[in-house]
Amino acid sequence: MATQIDTFDSVVAAGDIRGALGTVRQHDLAPRRTWRARLLTLLAVMGPGMIVMVGDNDAGGVATYAQAGQNYGTSLLWTLLLLVPVLIVNQEMCVRLGAVTGVGHARLILERFGKFWGAFSVGDLFILNFLTLVTEFVGISLAMGYFGISPLISVPVSAVALIAVTITGSFRRWERFMYGFIVVNLVAVPLALIVHPDLGRVVHDTVVPGVQGGLDGTSLLLIISVVGTTVAPWQLFFQQSNVVDKRITPRWVNYERWDTVLGSVVTEIGAAALLIAAAFAFANTDLAGRFTDAGAVAAGLAQTVGPVAGALFAIFLLDAAIIGAAAVTLATTYAFGDVFGIRHSLHRGIGEAKGFYGSYSLLVALAAGIVLIPNAPLGLMTMAVQALAGVLLPSATVFLLLLCNDRDVLGPWTNPRWLNIVASVIVGVLLLLSLVLVVTTLFPDADATLLTTGLGGLVAVGLGGIGVLEMRTARRSPHPPDMLALGRDTWRMPPLALLNRPVWSPTRKVGMLALRGYLLMAAVLLVVRVFQLALGQ
């Protein structure tokens, strides 16, 4: 039985899907029996998944992948392969939440968990997103600097352009701009080919985990940065809200899932191409192991491979920074609208959504201004932001899991048991990485490999215990028969005001507080580690 969607943008939430590549009418119930019909529908629906994934290869991502290649060769390619299922699992849950509830991620957290927990989650988002936006303008500055254009020109012009493509009042027009940038992103492929990579070595390092020179605190920080830039918390907020804004309903969830899968493959191919290009271009040169920032990578590629390679890298960096800045800022302003109850939709013009577009423009202007501060350590700042995203990701994923197991919110769309197990393993691995980082920061001489093995065993035992409790709980509280009988394509979340807020047990509260306290400590120690690197310790 369909229910009315309770949302600040209820007028916008209902209507045709008007994507960059096609339209699906609101009351279109016709079955898609041919491949042509399915493809046309996919083209119309897709967008949120592709944009969030390609936006994931932002300026910070470009710098992080290039650093991994320049300092560790291709030995970290395996991390990208392992992150593909992580991306798909996390973002698929956001797809269901957006399509079924019709409200943004930030609002769901606030309404279901209250202001106390909402402040933690959304507060993290605002801080981390703003820092990430700063790194996007760092990327713009470095990319245009390669072509001899001063930041005093490139940064303000880019800020104005970002605002201009967003405030048009047309979702379709904005999405078409994003697709244009996505096409430019494909320059990563020829960049990887012109360095003449050893394919045998690439395949080996993709499937066989290892770290060139051994695992230590520095390499671990870089691995966490790779995780943080590939699976960032802002992506959860962006895709759910963008699915809502595009008017995607449960009937089209499978198409949006394919959008997410295709986007994850495209983004990991781009990431691998950048890492491979840096690895083979700088191998056996004086620049190997001497990463400073993405601008220096472009200059180094021009020196070791040729000016075409340097130009391709700079173009990719500029394009990635623009896509990332647009997506990260939009994720923040979507959340801002959720929290403060203002109209927030790309379907609305400036007159209808002054607060939405005003906050977007203010964020862009502030971030651009910070980048123009002279002598800022831009390369180190970029790595620190990506690593911080990796440290805070477990908290965001836990909230996501709780929402996707909330039957009042998702009804017949709640997580199956296998998905909860996979997501729990992901959280466990992320916590393991941050644990090892904490210990190696406190005790620099500790053996990181031994620590990873030992703490990995403890995490595995903990996950096993959680799994046993999950199975017992599932047996005691099976899905109500009437809920299982509901039509999935038409079931929508009832108005939030009619739902009883879930009651947490004392054990869950203590566990969440412990997780929160630990992650805050890990974030502080991350900052300490970054300062140590800045001082050459």
Side-chain angles (χ1 to χ4, degrees), residues 7 23 39 107 119 138 198 208 276 327 329 333 374 413 447 457 505 509:
T7 171
T23 299
L39 178 59
R107 190 180 177 204
V138 169
D198 179 343
V208 179
I276 290 167
T329 312
T333 47
W413 290 92
D447 187 327
S505 67
K509 287 181 181 178

Side-chain angles (χ1 to χ4, degrees), residues 145-178:
Y146 175 83
F147 297 107
I149 300 175
S150 168
L152 295 176
I153 298 174
S154 62
V155 172
V157 169
S158 299
V160 171
L162 275 168
I163 295 170
V165 301
T166 304
I167 62 175
T168 63
S170 168
F171 188 100
R172 170 173 283 174
R173 193 174 297 123
W174 172 84
E175 196 170 77
R176 283 176 175 168
F177 276 121
M178 292 301 103

Side-chain angles (χ1 to χ4, degrees), residues 249-441:
T249 61
R251 175 171 171 75
W252 313 113
V253 161
N254 284 335
Y255 291 96
E256 183 54 28
R257 283 170 170 160
W258 276 109
D259 176 31
T260 302
V261 171
L262 291 172
S264 67
V265 173
V266 169
T267 194
E268 290 308 287
I269 289 174
L274 292 175
L275 194 154
I276 290 167
F280 287 97
F282 298 125
N284 303 316
T285 71
D286 293 338
L287 296 175
R290 298 175 61 186
F291 173 85
T292 53
D293 59 46
V297 172
L301 286 169
Q303 175 185 331
T304 59
V305 181
V308 173
L312 287 176
F313 184 88
I315 290 170
F316 187 97
L317 175 61
L318 175 63
D319 184 66
I322 292 173
I323 298 175
V328 170
T329 312
L330 196 55
T332 311
T333 47
Y334 274 142
F336 185 85
D338 280 340
V339 172
F340 296 102
I342 62 174
R343 291 175 172 175
H344 50 292
S345 171
L346 292 169
H347 287 285
R348 296 185 182 276
I350 296 178
E352 295 180 281
K354 296 185 181 69
F356 176 59
Y357 293 119
S359 59
Y360 183 99
S361 302
L362 180 61
L363 282 171
V364 169
L366 288 175
I370 289 175
V371 172
L372 296 178
I373 297 175
N375 302 319
L378 303 181
L380 197 59
M381 180 191 303
T382 299
M383 184 181 69
V385 171
Q386 308 312 313
L388 182 60
V391 167
L392 296 178
L393 184 60
S395 177
T397 305
V398 167
F399 279 110
L400 179 63
L401 264 175
L402 291 173
L403 287 172
C404 284
N405 284 279
D406 189 333
R407 292 176 184 171
D408 288 338
V409 169
L410 284 184
W413 290 92
T414 52
N415 279 0
R417 188 179 302 170
W418 69 266
L419 185 55
N420 286 331
I421 293 172
V422 172
S424 298
V425 170
I426 291 170
V427 173
V429 172
L430 294 172
L431 285 174
L432 169 63
L433 290 174
S434 64
L435 273 169
V436 178
L437 177 64
V438 167
V439 175
T440 53
T441 301

Side-chain angles (χ1 to χ4, degrees), residues 423-509:
S424 298
V425 170
I426 291 170
V427 173
V429 172
L430 294 172
L431 285 174
L432 169 63
L433 290 174
S434 64
L435 273 169
V436 178
L437 177 64
V438 167
V439 175
T440 53
T441 301
L442 293 174
F443 306 99
D445 296 328
D447 187 327
T449 303
L450 183 62
L451 272 172
T452 302
T453 304
L455 292 174
L458 292 176
V459 170
V461 171
L463 287 174
I466 294 172
V468 171
L469 290 175
E470 163 70 17
M471 292 178 67
R472 289 182 177 178
T473 303
R475 289 194 191 104
R476 293 172 184 170
S477 54
H479 281 286
D482 59 332
M483 183 171 288
L484 291 174
L486 292 173
R488 284 165 62 89
D489 286 354
T490 57
W491 196 92
R492 307 298 298 274
M493 182 187 72
L496 279 169
L498 302 180
L499 300 182
N500 293 322
R501 185 172 293 171
V503 179
W504 283 8
S505 67
T507 303
R508 175 172 286 186
K509 287 181 181 178

